[in-house]
Amino acid sequence: MFNFDIETTKETTEFDTVQLWDFLIIGGGPAGLNAGLYAKRKGLKVGIIAVDIGGQLHNTTDVDNYLGFSLVQGKELSDSFLKHVTDLDVPILKQTRVTAISKFDAGFLVKTDKFQDFRTKTLLISTGGQPRKLRIPGEKEFANKGVSYCTICDAPFFKDKHVIVAGGGNSAAESVLDLVPWAKKITVVHRSQWRADKILLDKLDKLDNLDIHLQTQILEIIGDEKMTGLRVLDKTTNEERVISADGLFIEIGTVPNSKFVEGFVKMNDNNEILVDDQQMTSVEGVFAAGDITLQPYKQIIISAAEGAKAALAAMTYLNHK
Amino acid sequence: MNKLLNEEVTNQVKEFLKPMKEAITFVLFTKSGECITCEETRALLNEVSALNDLISLVEKDLEINSDEASLFDVTLAPSFIILDKDGVYQGVKFNGIPAGHEINSFLTAVLDMSGLDYQLDPAIIERLSKIDKDVNIKVFVTLSCPHCPGAVSKAHRLAMLNSHVNAEMIEAQTFSALSQKYNVSGVPKIVINETHELTGNQPLEAFLDELERL
Ligand SMILES: Cc1cc2nc3c(=O)[nH]c(=O)nc-3n(C[C@H](O)[C@H](O)[C@H](O)COP(=O)(O)OP(=O)(O)OC[C@H]3O[C@@H](n4cnc5c(N)ncnc54)[C@H](O)[C@@H]3O)c2cc1C
């Protein structure tokens, strides 16, 4: 009934602006939190700077593929991660966005939107991703006039309505399941084939108010005051048609939050950060982990594991420097 | 009714409220008859005010105490405002229960009102001090929206820092007719003086851009 996400006096541990940190972590999702845990246990002077704690775990209700938990709420998992990290007294600076990173003699200067700068010998970029947009006509115009990127936030507005879910991965399938208690009818539109886990697709099979259009590309979102439907292209027949609907939930993956390090570390064409097998980026001493990296499987357990790896690699790096 | 906050949550809230400096007052408006979440909101405010000596709670009825209601521009129930140490209304209002994720904007408002410095950039304070038109900011939320409390807290801070500004959270499901009137189908949705709109948890600069355009 209550989802806490603000600092307590206990958590606002002295986040030192003067000291030279060993390992500063940017991002408080699974990757950043696990890196904090591992680095602290190794005895590094470690701190976490994050806009929020939990990252994308907040955008999902059920998680059923994290080892050890058959079914857990995203928020609950995030809370247990945070507790584990705060029990070890890892300082966390919340509600703070890192705006730029630069190099100086002894390491790196981290600039934030709180007008405080921090200095560190090594650092981890684990800033994850945010919802990817379709980039089609009407998307901007009808944002919050039918078009949504957050199913758990906005599902209640579509009670007894017909909604479309765009996408074919796990988050699209989960979005459908989150809409079931509200919507009268749900239609999935995806430009290729399903990529979602079979276990989720089996759940969708049991729904009787679900329509699925695969190999179907969304060309335009149409409407007047609010969205009224989509113009789509059926790629098998090469025919265009209109699907009427009251809402569109866009669940087509994420784009990396890497803008603030553009030009600082090397990235691929998707703006994902390139890392080596030690999670080190093109800049020595700067590591990256989780959804922000080029690693294609964007999952909680994988992000957490990469965070652990980065912390251990940073330790090795500091020892050999 | 059972307690709304279990032991664990009670302890958490108590911890959150520890840094409070000055006294504050909740003024809660409910109404008799059908009232979605009136009971729950009353329980929440009662239980939270019992956790720190600096908080007091005054309960009013929207119809019986219509003078007070109009004094604070309260038109909905449940609705509550937070008064500062001198009993002054700083324009901080919640319509509907701030449960779920909204507990964060609620507790943030309590701490802010009790005199905590929220360390805003001086440039923002400077821009805000120049706003001299009356401004009302409505922030529509759902309780399952993780991005909403940020938007509510920003609006409330603007209100606390400028006496021309008042800001209110509106729980969209409780007040569904109002949400429909404002065409809310995604949250957070921010409506400024009925005419200007923002969506998403925007930075303070985006709020100020709109306020300056009024
Ligand atoms: C709807 C949905 C459902 C999902 N379901 C599952 C599932 O069931 N199982 C599963 O394994 N995975 C699931 N995922 C994927 C999983 O959530 C991600 O793989 C995982 O959260 C990535 O972790 P991360 O730490 O790399 O990044 P994120 O979780 O994205 O966290 C990024 C962190 O960085 C912070 N940040 C961003 N920019 C800055 C900045 N400039 N300065 C400071 N901080 C910053 C953010 O505030 C946040 O704390 C789902 C994703 C979505 C969207």
Side-chain angles (χ1 to χ4, degrees), chain B:
Chain B
M1 207 174 122
N2 281 337
K3 285 197 86 170
L4 207 60
L5 310 178
N6 64 25
E7 200 188 321
E8 192 195 336
V9 174
T10 301
N11 289 336
Q12 250 174 313
V13 172
K14 217 172 171 170
E15 183 73 25
F16 283 133
L17 297 179
K18 264 194 188 144
M20 279 184 75
K21 285 190 185 149
E22 316 268 12
I24 60 156
T25 307
F26 299 144
V27 185
L28 168 68
F29 291 83
T30 54
K31 65 177 187 204
S32 45
E34 202 198 332
C35 177
I36 310 167
T37 70
C38 269
E39 270 316 299
E40 292 86 345
T41 309
R42 177 180 289 128
L44 176 68
L45 294 196
N46 266 297
E47 291 175 32
V48 169
S49 42
L51 296 179
N52 195 305
D53 291 343
L54 290 171
I55 308 177
S56 37
L57 168 64
V58 178
E59 292 192 40
K60 300 281 176 193
D61 183 284
L62 186 62
E63 276 131 32
I64 299 168
N65 308 109
S66 56
D67 285 351
E68 282 97 334
S70 62
L71 188 65
F72 301 122
D73 232 345
V74 172
T75 54
L76 304 168
S79 175
F80 68 93
I81 55 168
I82 307 182
L83 304 181
D84 71 7
K85 63 177 194 311
D86 304 316
V88 176
Y89 176 48
Q90 304 255 20
V92 173
K93 188 187 291 169
F94 290 85
N95 302 290
I97 187 168
H101 284 282
E102 230 42 58
I103 186 81
N104 300 299
S105 65
F106 172 40
L107 296 177
T108 299
V110 170
L111 288 186
D112 287 352
M113 193 65 83
S114 87
L116 251 67
D117 178 10
Y118 26 84
Q119 298 179 344
L120 284 187
D121 172 11
I124 289 196
I125 297 183
E126 164 82 22
R127 272 178 78 186
L128 180 61
S129 68
K130 297 208 174 101
I131 306 286
D132 56 3
K133 287 196 194 95
D134 286 340
V135 178
N136 166 263
I137 308 176
K138 294 182 173 60
V139 184
F140 287 89
V141 304
T142 59
L143 300 183
S144 53
C145 165
H147 328 289
C148 290
V152 172
S153 292
K154 280 174 206 150
H156 279 155
R157 282 175 179 170
L158 294 175
M160 283 184 244
L161 284 167
N162 183 318
S163 58
H164 298 284
V165 181
N166 71 75
E168 46 189 329
M169 178 209 85
I170 300 171
E171 203 285 291
Q173 275 174 280
T174 305
F175 303 108
S176 54
L178 199 63
S179 318
Q180 261 162 31
K181 179 179 159 201
Y182 287 94
N183 285 320
V184 181
S185 67
V187 286
K189 172 156 176 170
I190 300 149
V191 181
I192 302 173
N193 281 7
E194 310 290 313
T195 45
H196 290 56
E197 286 186 7
L198 284 171
T199 45
N201 181 10
Q202 304 268 357
L204 273 172
E205 284 83 352
F207 278 86
L208 282 167
D209 289 346
E210 289 304 322
L211 298 195
E212 284 164 357
R213 247 177 243 142
L214 289 173

Side-chain angles (χ1 to χ4, degrees), chain A residues 1-10 58-59 75 115 144-146 150 152-154 156-158 182 226, chain B residues 5 9 12-13 15-16 19 100-101 103-104 107-108 121 142 144-147 172-173 183-187 199:
Chain A
M1 153 132 220
F2 298 100
N3 308 94
F4 292 99
D5 189 26
I6 58 175
E7 287 172 22
T8 63
T9 36
K10 184 162 174 282
H58 289 291
N59 290 354
K75 171 72 191 162
F115 303 91
N144 277 12
K145 292 180 178 148
C150 178
I152 57 171
C153 302
D154 299 336
F157 298 111
F158 296 89
W182 305 96
K226 289 185 190 173
Chain B
L5 310 178
V9 174
Q12 250 174 313
V13 172
E15 183 73 25
F16 283 133
H101 284 282
I103 186 81
N104 300 299
L107 296 177
T108 299
D121 172 11
T142 59
S144 53
C145 165
H147 328 289
Q173 275 174 280
N183 285 320
V184 181
S185 67
V187 286
T199 45

